[in-house]
Amino acid sequence: MHAAPGREDHPVITARQLAEADGILFGFPTRFGMMAAQMKAFFDSTGGLWQEQSLAGKPAGVFFATGTQGGGQETTALTAVTQLTHHGMLFVPVGYTHGAGMFAMDEVKGGSPYGAGTFASADGSRMPSDAELALAAHQGKYFAGIAQKLKAV
C-alpha cells in the first residue's frame, strides 16, 4: 500500500500489550482523511481485548501526520474516536491547553485541539517544526498527568 518499510529502531507492539498500559497515545499517518489502513488493521486485531473489556476506562489520545495541509488531521481524529469508543476508552484531547501557541498564525503548523500533528509533505520529507514539536511535548505531558490522576482513582 506504498507504506515505507518498517524500521528496526522503531519498536512494534502487539495489540495484547495495549492492556498493560495505563493510557495510550496513538500516533498514525492519515490516508484520505482517516487513519491509514495499517492502523485500522491493528485496531481490527483488538477484538479479543474488546470482548474482555481490557481497554475500558483507559485514557487514550491521538496525534498524527498528514502529507498536506488539507490531509484531514481533524477528520482523522474524529474517525479514530469511534475505535476508542467501542473499547470504552476515555478520549483525552489536548484542547487549547497549550495556550497562545495554539492561536499563532505566523507559520504553517499541524495539530489541533484533538491532538498534535505535523505536515510531512506528500513524500514524507518535511520534518516537524519547533511549534509542532512543542505541541507534541505538551500533549504528552498533559496526557500523562491525566493518566496518572485516573490511575490513582
Side-chain angles (χ1 to χ4, degrees):
M1 295 193 299
H2 307 289
R7 291 177 36 182
E8 289 185 28
D9 59 333
H10 289 176
V12 176
I13 67 166
T14 65
R16 180 61 54 192
Q17 288 174 284
L18 296 175
E20 300 168 15
D22 293 332
I24 305 159
L25 276 173
F26 292 101
F28 39 84
T30 65
R31 195 76 168 152
F32 300 114
M34 308 170 120
M35 69 178 67
Q38 294 89 335
M39 191 65 201
K40 176 64 170 74
F42 181 77
F43 274 113
D44 287 348
S45 76
T46 63
L49 296 172
W50 167 80
Q51 190 173 21
E52 299 162 2
Q53 294 295 293
S54 298
L55 304 179
K58 288 184 186 285
V62 296
F63 63 97
F64 21 74
T66 54
T68 63
Q69 291 184 55
Q73 291 192 2
E74 289 191 350
T75 58
T76 299
L78 289 170
T79 57
V81 168
T82 63
Q83 306 297 315
L84 309 179
T85 299
H86 280 260
H87 279 287
M89 299 180 86
L90 308 173
F91 178 55
V92 180
V94 71
Y96 285 93
T97 61
H98 190 47
M102 298 286 291
F103 302 100
M105 297 291 290
D106 56 334
E107 66 179 294
V108 172
K109 63 181 180 299
S112 74
Y114 297 97
T118 188
F119 297 119
S121 185
D123 64 1
S125 62
R126 181 181 178 271
M127 294 289 105
S129 69
D130 289 343
E132 291 168 333
L133 292 172
L135 178 56
H138 171 75
Q139 181 181 12
K141 289 176 189 169
Y142 178 76
F143 182 84
I146 300 279
Q148 188 175 31
K149 288 176 187 175
L150 287 172
K151 185 176 180 180
V153 174

mmCIF file of all heavy atoms in Angstrom, residues 14 22 34 57-58 71 77 86 111 130 150:
data_model
loop_
_atom_site.group_PDB
_atom_site.id
_atom_site.type_symbol
_atom_site.label_atom_id
_atom_site.label_comp_id
_atom_site.label_asym_id
_atom_site.label_seq_id
_atom_site.Cartn_x
_atom_site.Cartn_y
_atom_site.Cartn_z
ATOM 1 N N THR A 14 2.325 -5.583 20.090
ATOM 2 C CA THR A 14 1.150 -6.356 19.703
ATOM 3 C C THR A 14 -0.077 -5.701 20.327
ATOM 4 O O THR A 14 0.036 -4.943 21.304
ATOM 5 C CB THR A 14 1.249 -7.800 20.205
ATOM 6 O OG1 THR A 14 1.224 -7.787 21.638
ATOM 7 C CG2 THR A 14 2.526 -8.479 19.708
ATOM 8 N N ASP A 22 -1.244 2.134 31.164
ATOM 9 C CA ASP A 22 -2.136 2.962 31.989
ATOM 10 C C ASP A 22 -2.931 3.927 31.115
ATOM 11 O O ASP A 22 -3.990 4.407 31.511
ATOM 12 C CB ASP A 22 -1.331 3.773 33.012
ATOM 13 C CG ASP A 22 -0.664 2.888 34.050
ATOM 14 O OD1 ASP A 22 -1.192 1.791 34.340
ATOM 15 O OD2 ASP A 22 0.391 3.292 34.572
ATOM 16 N N MET A 34 -8.444 9.836 7.040
ATOM 17 C CA MET A 34 -8.676 8.828 8.073
ATOM 18 C C MET A 34 -7.342 8.204 8.452
ATOM 19 O O MET A 34 -6.333 8.447 7.794
ATOM 20 C CB MET A 34 -9.576 7.703 7.551
ATOM 21 C CG MET A 34 -10.852 8.131 6.920
ATOM 22 S SD MET A 34 -11.595 6.714 6.126
ATOM 23 C CE MET A 34 -13.108 6.661 7.004
ATOM 24 N N GLY A 57 -12.135 2.140 30.133
ATOM 25 C CA GLY A 57 -11.732 3.070 31.184
ATOM 26 C C GLY A 57 -10.329 3.618 31.046
ATOM 27 O O GLY A 57 -9.937 4.498 31.808
ATOM 28 N N LYS A 58 -9.564 3.129 30.091
ATOM 29 C CA LYS A 58 -8.205 3.649 29.886
ATOM 30 C C LYS A 58 -8.262 4.960 29.109
ATOM 31 O O LYS A 58 -8.995 5.073 28.136
ATOM 32 C CB LYS A 58 -7.345 2.663 29.103
ATOM 33 C CG LYS A 58 -6.924 1.433 29.873
ATOM 34 C CD LYS A 58 -5.986 0.590 29.021
ATOM 35 C CE LYS A 58 -5.656 -0.718 29.701
ATOM 36 N NZ LYS A 58 -4.712 -0.564 30.797
ATOM 37 N N GLY A 71 -4.957 17.427 4.544
ATOM 38 C CA GLY A 71 -4.888 15.976 4.677
ATOM 39 C C GLY A 71 -5.828 15.350 5.675
ATOM 40 O O GLY A 71 -5.903 14.134 5.782
ATOM 41 N N ALA A 77 -8.771 12.381 13.550
ATOM 42 C CA ALA A 77 -9.023 12.263 14.989
ATOM 43 C C ALA A 77 -10.463 11.845 15.253
ATOM 44 O O ALA A 77 -10.721 10.952 16.070
ATOM 45 C CB ALA A 77 -8.713 13.588 15.681
ATOM 46 N N HIS A 86 -15.702 2.212 21.059
ATOM 47 C CA HIS A 86 -16.126 0.809 21.100
ATOM 48 C C HIS A 86 -15.415 0.035 22.198
ATOM 49 O O HIS A 86 -15.976 -0.931 22.728
ATOM 50 C CB HIS A 86 -15.928 0.147 19.730
ATOM 51 C CG HIS A 86 -17.026 0.485 18.783
ATOM 52 N ND1 HIS A 86 -18.080 -0.350 18.511
ATOM 53 C CD2 HIS A 86 -17.260 1.609 18.069
ATOM 54 C CE1 HIS A 86 -18.905 0.230 17.667
ATOM 55 N NE2 HIS A 86 -18.424 1.425 17.379
ATOM 56 N N GLY A 111 -1.529 20.032 13.841
ATOM 57 C CA GLY A 111 -2.078 19.912 15.176
ATOM 58 C C GLY A 111 -3.397 20.647 15.301
ATOM 59 O O GLY A 111 -3.735 21.496 14.472
ATOM 60 N N ASP A 130 9.493 23.342 15.087
ATOM 61 C CA ASP A 130 9.613 23.543 16.530
ATOM 62 C C ASP A 130 8.248 23.728 17.178
ATOM 63 O O ASP A 130 7.997 23.213 18.269
ATOM 64 C CB ASP A 130 10.504 24.757 16.832
ATOM 65 C CG ASP A 130 11.970 24.496 16.523
ATOM 66 O OD1 ASP A 130 12.365 23.316 16.387
ATOM 67 O OD2 ASP A 130 12.725 25.491 16.399
ATOM 68 N N LEU A 150 -6.104 9.387 36.747
ATOM 69 C CA LEU A 150 -7.091 8.309 36.598
ATOM 70 C C LEU A 150 -6.604 7.030 37.252
ATOM 71 O O LEU A 150 -7.412 6.276 37.813
ATOM 72 C CB LEU A 150 -7.413 8.077 35.126
ATOM 73 C CG LEU A 150 -8.270 9.162 34.473
ATOM 74 C CD1 LEU A 150 -8.351 8.933 32.966
ATOM 75 C CD2 LEU A 150 -9.665 9.189 35.085
#
